[in-house]
Amino acid sequence: PCISCNHPDDGSRQRHASHYKSVGGNPALRFDESNCHSACSICNNYLSGNLVPYRVALIAKVGQSEVDRLEGKHEPLKLTIDEIKLMLADYRARVRELMRANE
């Protein structure tokens, strides 16, 4: 379901990868999995993430200390090309695994 409004993933709304902290303002969190969650298009696009209920649900999902970490300061993320290639391979494998599980 949508992290912000809890709307089920029933096909009636597009799904987006919604970032709790914007990637433009927080580039170090671009690939942080605690910062990215499934959201409906209405919350993500038209309500700018619908952040008040997003935060409440995020605390329930990952815990207060993890939300505090996301809201804190971050060092710039400096990835090498090899690190990016490894991340890409890992995510591709995860997607294949999820697709097999849903067949």
Side-chain angles (χ1 to χ4, degrees):
C2 174
I3 186 84
S4 297
C5 71
N6 208 35
H7 188 277
D9 187 9
D10 60 5
S12 65
R13 297 180 184 175
Q14 286 182 334
R15 287 290 143 181
H16 292 183
S18 179
H19 293 85
Y20 175 63
K21 299 296 281 185
S22 74
V23 174
N26 302 276
L29 297 176
R30 177 176 300 276
F31 301 111
D32 191 313
E33 291 183 22
S34 292
N35 189 45
C36 187
H37 301 274
S38 175
C40 70
S41 57
I42 293 171
C43 285
N44 198 42
N45 280 349
Y46 301 108
L47 300 175
S48 300
N50 203 3
L51 291 179
V52 172
Y54 191 144
R55 187 175 191 277
V56 171
L58 190 59
I59 291 169
K61 186 173 183 179
V62 300
Q64 182 68 54
S65 62
E66 187 66 0
V67 172
D68 290 343
R69 183 187 67 80
L70 289 172
E71 294 174 339
K73 292 189 176 200
H74 302 279
E75 292 296 317
L77 183 64
K78 296 179 181 178
L79 298 172
T80 66
I81 290 174
D82 288 337
E83 289 171 323
I84 293 169
K85 287 179 180 178
L86 283 172
M87 277 197 323
L88 183 59
D90 177 52
Y91 284 117
R92 282 185 176 151
R94 289 190 205 186
V95 167
R96 280 193 295 274
E97 185 178 316
L98 287 170
M99 292 181 82
R100 276 190 221 116
N102 289 325
E103 288 180 347

